[in-house]
């Protein structure tokens, strides 16, 4: 019954949650990257990226806003569907945008939209233990969930800006507790943004599920960056963890392939990219 799915491009099997779990077991780094359209999605696939995230960072890099807050569900569904059409092998995650998960029921309706209309295999939401019930509800409906901890861009107006999180012992312990509570609630992946490298290592070691870092040091199970940052398209000052992969690359696809190699070999992130 499912043979056409199994036979399709069987020399390049699609990445699943099982694949990601096995990569963590084997200590093989997971190379992740954001994308917002079909052309770049196909390029990331060809360059060997394992996981593609349709991030609500599109509010900044595509729409030109200062934050991710103005991004709506319709925007996310539109971009996720475009990316899904360009992908074959990578695992596709789409962000739940600001205020799309204020209650369990609304979260479920919106997660279903990202999967059915947007082609996502997993949804990502920002939050700690306060979101555990939402994660549990989505997981109980067999929806794969990534929990985003550390710097949470949807909260910048409340927290006062884009800053490194978890610097003191209390905040670090709270973040570890949050990660474990979200895993217990059913999160299948955790994303750690902008935290000290030692905390990134500690949380990744404690979790059974893979932890993907952005500015979280070299010892998370994988790395993610915003595509336009590594291609040096983003204007202005870039965060410390960003590396421009264009020098030494003759095309955007080569730059992404160099990023994948650097993540897999552990060459990226280097100490200068860490907190
Ligand atoms: O929206 C986004 O692009 C993200 C980053 C952490 C990659 O969530």
């Amino acid at each position: 019954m499912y043979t056409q799915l199994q036979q399709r491009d069987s020399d390049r099997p699609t990445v699943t949650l099982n694949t990601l779990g096995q990569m963590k077991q084997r200590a093989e780094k997971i190379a992740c990257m954001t994308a917002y359209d079909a052309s770049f999605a196909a390029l990331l696939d060809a360059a060997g990226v394992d996981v593609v995230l349709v991030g609500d960072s599109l509010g900044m890099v595509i729409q030109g806003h200062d934050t991710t807050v103005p991004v709506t569900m319709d925007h996310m569904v539109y971009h996720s569907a475009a990316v899904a059409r360009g992908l074959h092998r990578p695992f596709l995650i789409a962000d739940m945008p600001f205020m799309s998960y204020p209650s369990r029921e609304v979260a479920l309706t919106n997660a279903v939209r990202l999967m059915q209309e947007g082609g996502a295999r997993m949804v990502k939401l920002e939050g700690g233990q306060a979101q555990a019930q939402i994660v549990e509800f989505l997981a109980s409906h067999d929806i794969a969930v990534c929990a985003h901890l550390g710097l949470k861009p949807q909260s910048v107006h409340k927290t006062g800006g884009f800053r490194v999180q978890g610097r003191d012992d209390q905040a670090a312990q709270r973040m570890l507790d949050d990660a474990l509570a979200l895993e217990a609630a059913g999160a299948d992946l955790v994303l750690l943004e902008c935290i000290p490298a030692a905390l990134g290592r500690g949380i990744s070691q404690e979790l059974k599920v893979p932890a993907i870092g952005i500015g979280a040091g070299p010892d998370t199970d994988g790395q993610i960056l915003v595509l336009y940052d590594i291609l040096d398209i983003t204007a202005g000052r870039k965060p410390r963890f960003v590396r421009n992969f264009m020098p030494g690359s003759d095309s955007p696809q080569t730059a992404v392939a160099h990023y994948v190699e650097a993540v897999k070999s552990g060459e990226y992130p280097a100490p200068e990219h860490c907190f």
Side-chain angles (χ1 to χ4, degrees):
M1 179 180 172
Y2 299 115
T3 47
Q4 81 269 36
L5 284 180
Q6 281 156 6
Q7 278 162 7
R8 195 179 60 154
D9 222 346
S10 54
D11 53 327
R12 270 186 354 120
T14 54
V15 175
T16 65
L17 266 184
N18 284 345
T19 320
L20 301 178
Q22 287 159 6
M23 288 171 83
K24 177 172 174 116
Q25 292 304 316
R26 291 198 300 267
E28 178 187 342
K29 296 285 183 187
I30 303 167
C32 317
M33 179 63 55
T34 67
Y36 316 99
D37 66 42
S39 300
F40 270 125
L43 185 152
L44 298 192
D45 192 341
V49 169
D50 301 308
V51 174
V52 171
L53 168 70
V54 184
D56 60 358
S57 51
L58 70 84
M60 300 166 88
V61 299
I62 302 285
Q63 298 175 333
H65 295 295
D66 287 342
T67 73
T68 59
V69 172
V71 178
T72 66
M73 267 310 295
D74 285 347
H75 298 152
M76 290 308 306
V77 167
Y78 175 89
H79 286 278
S80 186
V83 169
R85 287 190 284 268
L87 288 187
H88 166 65
R89 180 184 166 273
F91 187 70
L92 177 58
I93 309 177
D95 262 342
M96 303 275 286
F98 179 64
M99 276 302 134
S100 64
Y101 42 99
S103 66
R104 303 186 321 171
E105 289 72 20
V106 174
L108 180 62
T109 303
N110 285 325
V112 169
R113 280 198 70 194
L114 284 176
M115 295 180 73
Q116 289 192 322
E117 298 172 49
R121 299 191 191 160
M122 168 179 268
V123 299
K124 173 162 84 61
L125 53 84
E126 295 180 11
Q129 301 198 39
Q131 277 66 42
Q133 281 195 351
I134 289 171
V135 171
E136 194 169 26
F137 194 60
L138 295 180
S140 74
H141 288 81
D142 292 335
I143 293 177
V145 182
C146 173
H148 182 148
L149 293 172
L151 170 58
K152 292 177 279 182
Q154 292 172 12
S155 309
V156 285
H157 295 313
K158 180 86 172 162
T159 55
F162 296 92
R163 294 208 186 84
V164 181
Q165 303 293 308
R167 277 208 193 269
D168 62 67
D169 289 352
Q170 240 185 350
Q173 184 61 50
R174 219 173 19 245
M175 206 181 300
L176 174 60
D177 293 345
D178 280 351
L180 292 171
L182 289 161
E183 179 181 59
D188 305 281
L189 207 63
V190 169
L191 188 142
L192 302 169
E193 178 163 2
C194 232
I195 62 172
L199 182 56
R201 177 172 56 248
I203 295 179
S204 307
Q205 283 171 349
E206 291 290 327
L207 288 174
K208 289 183 200 67
V209 299
I212 308 298
I214 175 165
D219 299 317
T220 54
D221 303 301
Q223 299 290 332
I224 187 164
L225 283 175
V226 169
L227 173 64
Y228 290 14
D229 288 346
I230 77 152
L231 299 182
D232 203 26
I233 293 172
T234 313
R237 206 173 134 256
K238 304 209 203 6
R240 179 188 171 99
F241 53 76
V242 168
R243 178 172 150 192
N244 171 9
F245 280 83
M246 280 311 285
S249 305
D250 58 6
S251 69
Q253 187 172 318
T254 314
V256 177
H258 287 161
Y259 162 76
V260 172
E261 278 163 32
V263 169
K264 299 273 178 195
S265 68
E267 180 204 325
Y268 174 82
E272 68 265 26
H273 304 118
C274 302
F275 302 105

